Amino acid sequence: METTRVINIATDETEIVAKKALSIPEQARAIQVVDNETYSQAGEILITIKGLRKEIGAAFDPIIKKAHEAHKEAKAQKDKAEAPLIEAENIIKPALAAYDREQERLRREEEERQREIARKAEEERRLQEALQAEKEGDAAAAQAIIEEPVYVPPVVIEKTTPKVQGISMQKVWKFRVTNEALIPREYMTPDMVKIGGVARATKGSIQIPGVEIYSEDIVKAGVR
């Protein structure tokens, strides 16, 4: 049974700062900001949080950086090892898809060709049958034979492309934009980055139709 591997990165420094942080939530829950004194007390807790977060960053960030660098190096080595295989895939896959498309085109063309042959043969049979009825003096029957719709059973030709175990064709639907101006509005996405930039730069002095620009107060804490 496969077990989850946990990487232990704890050091004396990380354990110390982690323990320091454990009592802070209880202090935060205990304080109720109802007057100037409790406001100041809450502010002091916030300053403490800011300082502890800085300590935690100093303890953990070098470890995270090393792990990130190791991850990047491992990923780079994996990509390098896979590169020749991806190159080969990019050669073979389009070739298989192109061959399959061409064989399917030829198959359909042959189906249509054989169906046309069958249709002409049926028309000729009907014509001969109508001529015979006319020769026998039955003009109404001859006319009915001529006017009857020609039915030709579907012609189905099996695919000849070989089946390779483990290889299959999947139809993937994609799209390309040919005229952006014609795209219905429900398929358009607002440019959130651009709208946010306008909101911050103009501070609400410029209004955008359909958008409410507003401000919120946030508390920032520094380290003393």
Side-chain angles (χ1 to χ4, degrees), residues 34-55:
V34 295
D35 53 28
N36 287 346
E37 182 180 356
T38 52
Y39 182 93
S40 297
Q41 291 172 357
E44 289 298 324
I45 296 174
L46 200 58
I47 295 297
T48 301
I49 291 170
K50 188 72 174 182
L52 284 174
R53 293 191 70 171
K54 187 175 181 180
E55 287 185 45

Side-chain angles (χ1 to χ4, degrees), residues 119-133 141-142 144-152:
R119 186 186 65 79
K120 289 181 178 179
E122 177 63 12
E123 286 180 345
E124 179 62 25
R125 187 191 68 77
R126 292 276 189 85
L127 178 60
Q128 294 302 320
E129 190 177 332
L131 290 174
Q132 182 61 35
I145 292 170
I146 294 295
E147 292 177 354
E148 184 180 351
V150 176
Y151 171 74
V152 178

Side-chain angles (χ1 to χ4, degrees), residues 122-179:
E122 177 63 12
E123 286 180 345
E124 179 62 25
R125 187 191 68 77
R126 292 276 189 85
L127 178 60
Q128 294 302 320
E129 190 177 332
L131 290 174
Q132 182 61 35
E134 194 172 62
K135 185 184 294 184
E136 295 173 356
D138 194 343
Q143 186 65 27
I145 292 170
I146 294 295
E147 292 177 354
E148 184 180 351
V150 176
Y151 171 74
V152 178
V155 177
V156 178
I157 298 177
E158 294 297 324
K159 291 186 67 170
T160 58
T161 307
K163 290 184 180 293
V164 180
Q165 188 174 3
I167 302 297
S168 62
M169 291 292 172
Q170 179 183 5
K171 193 176 291 296
V172 179
W173 293 95
K174 299 183 178 182
F175 71 93
R176 61 175 63 89
V177 176
T178 56
N179 189 336

